[in-house]
Amino acid sequence: MSMPQTQIERPLKQALKRGWRRRCPNCGSGPMLVSYLKVRPHCSVCSEELHHQRADDGPAYLTILVVGHLMAPTLLMVFVRYQPDPLLLATAFTVGCVGLSLYLLPRFKGAFVALQWAKRMHGFGIAPPVRKSAS
């Protein structure tokens, strides 16, 4: 006897890995994003609906948090240890922060969507409404 669709467990760790790779959390092979940050309405491989996602500002906040916690101590260490020219230091760390942010942002967005899919949040996993005939 098979479980109803809403009862089948969705593995969180696997979904997060797939989301980090910007792949469909269901099949892992279809691309999740249609451009840099825009989520596809549905997977082009397995047809899983992805339009339910509500990542909003979560990936941006997480990106800022991670980049800040990585770059701020590194900036302090480089400044104290090597005492480079301030303009060189500012330029190097600006490029580093922007590059790291651009790398992390779509990956965090994919992970957020995958988390919502795995936890059946915001309409993921709910059966479509039954349409009544007009009779």
Side-chain angles (χ1 to χ4, degrees):
M1 182 176 196
S2 66
M3 298 175 80
Q5 179 65 20
T6 58
Q7 299 299 321
I8 297 172
E9 185 177 334
R10 294 176 173 175
L12 178 63
K13 188 174 181 181
Q14 181 183 40
L16 288 174
K17 284 181 181 179
R18 290 174 174 174
W20 179 261
R21 292 187 350 248
R22 298 163 304 179
R23 297 289 175 200
C24 171
N26 186 42
C27 68
S29 56
M32 182 188 299
L33 303 176
V34 71
S35 62
Y36 181 65
L37 288 177
K38 185 173 179 170
V39 178
R40 293 178 182 274
H42 63 290
C43 177
S44 59
V45 175
C46 69
S47 299
E48 178 73 26
E49 292 184 355
L50 301 172
H51 65 88
H52 302 294
Q53 64 86 21
R54 296 288 179 264
D56 299 327
D57 292 334
Y61 288 133
L62 193 55
T63 299
I64 292 168
L65 181 75
V66 169
V67 170
H69 278 84
L70 289 175
M71 297 303 269
T74 307
L75 174 67
L76 180 63
M77 182 189 71
V78 168
F79 180 74
V80 169
R81 183 173 292 174
Y82 301 108
Q83 298 177 352
D85 179 52
L87 187 59
L88 175 66
L89 186 67
T91 303
F93 274 87
T94 298
V95 170
C97 286
V98 170
L100 187 57
S101 296
L102 290 174
Y103 174 79
L104 290 176
L105 188 57
R107 285 152 180 80
F108 282 143
K109 177 124 184 196
F112 264 73
V113 173
L115 172 70
Q116 292 171 11
W117 177 84
K119 295 296 182 180
R120 299 180 190 277
M121 298 167 63
H122 307 296
F124 282 111
I126 295 176
V130 177
R131 295 183 184 193
K132 295 181 182 180
S133 60
S135 45

